[in-house]
Amino acid sequence: MPFCFIIFFINIVLISQINGFVPKGIMTFVIDRVDNTFKNKLGYFSESIVHEEIIERGIARSVARFFYEQKNGPSRIDLSKLNTDYKNIKNIYRDYYQKSFCKIDVEEIISDEFQPEVASVDFDDDTKDLASAHFDAEQFNQSNQRVINYMNIIQSFLNVNDYHRARKNVARILHTIHDFYSHSNWVEMGNKNINKDIGTKNFSKYQIADVKDSKTCESNCTTIEIECNTLLKALVKLIQKLGVRSSIINCPIKYFRCNGNVLFKNKLVSGFYVDQGIEKPDNAMKCSHGGILDGSAFKKAKGGINKDSGYFVFSPHADLHLTAANLAIDHTEFFFEEVRKKIGNRKFSDFLNLEVSDSILNSINDYIQICKSFSIVIKQNLKNSSFYVVLNFFIL
């Protein structure tokens, strides 16, 4: 435990100096490294897949399909690996080019552009508390119109080959699309497939809960209360110091495990989240987003419906997190495949910088040897340094 605390506070100091995912990054880092008893107290159900991983996996699938359609693709690309080996894009390039790559451009585009942008929607002042950026507070039509607007903007950038700005907007609107699956009751309604009507006028065919529906959830969730040990007290103080929304987190920590609390199976429902400017009404039984970061979770109907993580302490429907996350990955793949259909393989390759030049291919063996040598030097120099631990945190 002392070692975990050292890393915990080192990273508070370091991360506070950058524009990153301070609360979730630190909490996940600490929680995932403590014993199972502590994890179980916080309601661990499954691994958590965040926006950055979702967009990476979706892009990887689309890249694999792109190479499958190229010359020699069917004999080299094995699409049965989409959910296993091909999560790592380097393995797609390895199979297609029959060579091992130290670095590929699309990986840098993902890490330097797509991932920061897809995550920034939760932290930028203009979107973090905007319900329509997250399919929250029953703002389904507004959120869908936002997707339509962004898709038009993206197409305009693609038309003039402004790929950097196109990628930026793709990432930001994919965050909104991802949230449809984790913030709405799409999964609870029994849907097994993605909603391809998002971002189209056909979305209007769905029935949507609104102000006339005074009861969308019921207060049948189980309340969990846990006493704070030293680590939890530090976690609570961190959240309070950071001012994470209007959370009401205190010791002992209280959170909800919810099952069957959404009343509608034939209407789309989403939860209200504190500080979004659309307050959860006091005179109705509306669903909350939920989790210890949402101060509205203790207003009737108590609980929540979000599936953002595999921990009940953050997500009252944590048991459905992987279902929602996998649908978000499927939709990310679908989104990129739709882009590829519209602009064609040549422009799609330019959009993601997929092509490998002949000069790189011809020198690939020397290139790999240089990378291996460089990696060995770094490890030797850092192995006995405290900074080695910090570096590992950032590359997890």
Side-chain angles (χ1 to χ4, degrees):
M1 190 64 73
F3 172 78
C4 194
F5 266 114
I6 291 170
I7 303 305
F8 181 72
F9 287 111
I10 284 175
N11 283 289
I12 290 176
V13 174
L14 290 177
I15 294 179
S16 65
Q17 301 177 42
I18 65 173
N19 184 18
F21 312 113
V22 181
K24 192 165 189 177
I26 294 177
M27 287 187 285
T28 301
F29 176 73
V30 175
I31 291 170
D32 285 350
R33 281 158 180 77
V34 296
D35 59 71
N36 288 334
T37 300
F38 181 74
K39 291 170 68 173
N40 290 336
K41 283 184 178 180
L42 297 184
Y44 175 80
F45 187 87
S46 72
E47 66 168 319
S48 296
I49 305 176
V50 297
H51 286 286
E52 301 95 300
E53 295 171 284
I54 289 170
I55 198 168
E56 181 178 24
R57 294 188 193 181
I59 291 172
R61 289 185 190 176
S62 186
V63 169
R65 295 188 187 281
F66 166 84
F67 279 113
Y68 182 82
E69 294 181 7
Q70 307 309 304
K71 183 180 179 181
N72 299 320
S75 63
R76 296 181 179 180
I77 297 296
D78 182 358
L79 294 180
S80 68
K81 297 180 180 180
L82 286 180
N83 294 319
T84 54
D85 203 31
Y86 288 170
K87 288 181 182 179
N88 186 334
I89 291 183
K90 283 192 180 77
N91 295 334
I92 301 170
Y93 276 72
R94 176 204 64 202
D95 285 3
Y96 183 75
Y97 288 106
Q98 308 291 290
K99 293 177 180 287
S100 295
F101 288 77
C102 172
K103 183 181 74 171
I104 50 179
D105 290 340
V106 67
E107 276 193 326
E108 290 194 359
I109 287 174
I110 290 172
S111 63
D112 295 349
E113 297 183 43
F114 282 119
Q115 289 181 325
E117 287 296 338
V118 75
S120 70
V121 179
D122 276 334
F123 296 90
D124 285 355
D125 288 340
D126 60 340
T127 54
K128 66 179 182 180
D129 295 324
L130 181 65
S132 62
H134 307 278
F135 275 100
D136 286 336
E138 302 173 353
Q139 299 292 291
F140 287 100
N141 289 327
Q142 296 86 340
S143 297
N144 187 64
Q145 187 59 51
R146 178 180 174 82
V147 178
I148 292 173
N149 294 343
Y150 263 79
M151 290 175 71
N152 290 334
I153 292 170
I154 291 162
Q155 188 61 54
S156 67
F157 286 135
L158 290 172
N159 290 342
V160 296
N161 301 335
D162 189 343
Y163 298 126
H164 173 70
R165 285 199 281 184
R167 291 190 293 260
K168 175 179 179 177
N169 284 279
V170 164
R172 293 182 72 83
I173 202 55
L174 276 172
H175 182 116
T176 300
I177 294 172
H178 295 169
D179 280 353
F180 173 80
Y181 298 103
S182 59
H183 292 190
S184 80
N185 65 330
W186 181 258
V187 171
E188 288 85 344
M189 290 170 72
N191 292 296
K192 305 297 183 183
N193 299 311
I194 66 172
N195 188 338
K196 294 183 179 180
D197 293 318
I198 295 174
T200 74
K201 297 297 183 182
N202 290 334
F203 191 82
S204 61
K205 70 183 181 184
Y206 297 97
Q207 294 188 65
I208 295 169
D210 58 25
V211 67
K212 297 188 296 296
D213 298 298
S214 60
K215 190 173 183 180
T216 58
C217 271
E218 57 183 338
S219 293
N220 62 349
C221 300
T222 301
T223 304
I224 310 295
E225 182 174 310
I226 53 176
E227 295 299 324
C228 291
N229 58 17
T230 305
L231 182 56
L232 278 178
K233 288 178 181 177
L235 196 62
V236 168
K237 286 181 180 179
L238 173 63
I239 294 173
Q240 292 172 339
K241 182 177 180 181
L242 292 169
V244 182
R245 297 187 176 273
S246 293
S247 62
I248 53 174
I249 181 170
N250 288 295
C251 289
I253 291 178
K254 295 180 181 180
Y255 65 91
F256 297 97
R257 297 177 67 126
C258 301
N259 181 27
N261 59 323
V262 184
L263 295 176
F264 287 130
K265 297 293 184 182
N266 61 340
K267 284 186 178 183
L268 287 172
V269 173
S270 63
F272 288 77
Y273 203 172
V274 72
D275 291 344
Q276 287 188 331
I278 305 175
E279 296 300 319
K280 181 179 178 180
D282 294 321
N283 59 347
M285 295 281 284
K286 291 287 191 178
C287 300
S288 284
H289 177 85
I292 61 170
L293 303 183
D294 177 18
S296 79
F298 284 86
K299 292 177 63 175
K300 63 178 186 180
K302 293 181 179 181
I305 67 171
N306 95 70
K307 298 162 282 295
D308 285 340
S309 79
Y311 284 89
F312 283 102
V313 70
F314 300 122
S315 302
H317 284 197
D319 54 316
L320 299 176
H321 166 68
L322 290 181
T323 302
N326 283 317
L327 285 173
I329 294 170
D330 291 344
H331 203 126
T332 301
E333 176 190 358
F334 170 74
F335 190 98
F336 278 92
E337 286 297 278
E338 289 296 294
V339 170
R340 188 159 71 93
K341 287 178 185 178
K342 288 181 180 179
I343 65 178
N345 279 338
R346 177 66 267 168
K347 288 192 70 170
F348 187 77
S349 176
D350 294 340
F351 171 51
L352 295 180
N353 213 0
L354 299 178
E355 186 175 333
V356 179
S357 67
D358 290 339
S359 61
I360 292 292
L361 289 174
N362 292 335
S363 62
I364 196 73
N365 290 333
D366 292 336
Y367 185 51
I368 289 296
Q369 191 58 48
I370 291 171
C371 288
K372 287 182 178 177
S373 300
F374 183 65
S375 177
I376 291 170
V377 170
I378 289 177
K379 288 181 180 179
Q380 287 176 340
N381 288 340
L382 293 175
K383 189 173 183 180
N384 297 319
S385 169
S386 61
F387 287 98
Y388 184 64
V389 178
V390 178
L391 176 63
N392 271 316
F393 173 77
F394 284 109
I395 63 176
L396 287 175

